Amino acid sequence: IEVNAFYFNQGQNFKSFPRAITVDHKRYTFQDGLQMLVQKGQEAIRFFDMTDGITNFRLRQEQDQWFLVSQRPVLR
């Protein structure tokens, strides 16, 4: 995947989130998301649960590499 834009939350802990990604030549812009940090030895891996309102995405960031873990429709 390609991360095209980022945004930053305005809470006490200043965190960055992906704002838009491209997967298989299709661009998605996120409305909301959550971030989880997993410590693996000396390495930190960040997971993001993001939504564009239609589809939920789980992304994984390891160093500068991004991976699409899952993509599923929003349940209503």
Side-chain angles (χ1 to χ4, degrees):
I1 71 168
E2 181 181 338
V3 178
N4 307 105
F6 291 90
Y7 73 95
F8 298 91
N9 75 339
Q10 297 180 6
Q12 290 181 358
N13 298 326
F14 194 64
K15 296 179 184 177
S16 64
F17 290 82
R19 167 64 71 199
I21 63 170
T22 300
V23 178
D24 296 329
H25 306 289
K26 185 170 180 186
R27 186 178 170 109
Y28 300 92
T29 301
F30 299 128
Q31 297 175 350
D32 198 12
L34 298 171
Q35 181 184 141
M36 296 149 283
L37 180 64
V38 176
Q39 194 73 30
K40 184 178 173 184
Q42 296 295 321
E43 187 178 342
I45 300 170
R46 295 194 306 169
F47 287 92
F48 296 86
D49 284 342
M50 307 299 295
T51 186
D52 66 356
I54 299 169
T55 306
N56 291 325
F57 298 83
R58 174 159 288 174
L59 309 174
R60 183 177 84 230
Q61 181 191 24
E62 293 184 43
Q63 298 172 358
D64 292 334
Q65 291 186 306
W66 288 87
F67 303 92
L68 177 62
V69 177
S70 66
Q71 178 179 351
R72 61 191 185 285
V74 172
L75 299 176
R76 296 180 189 241

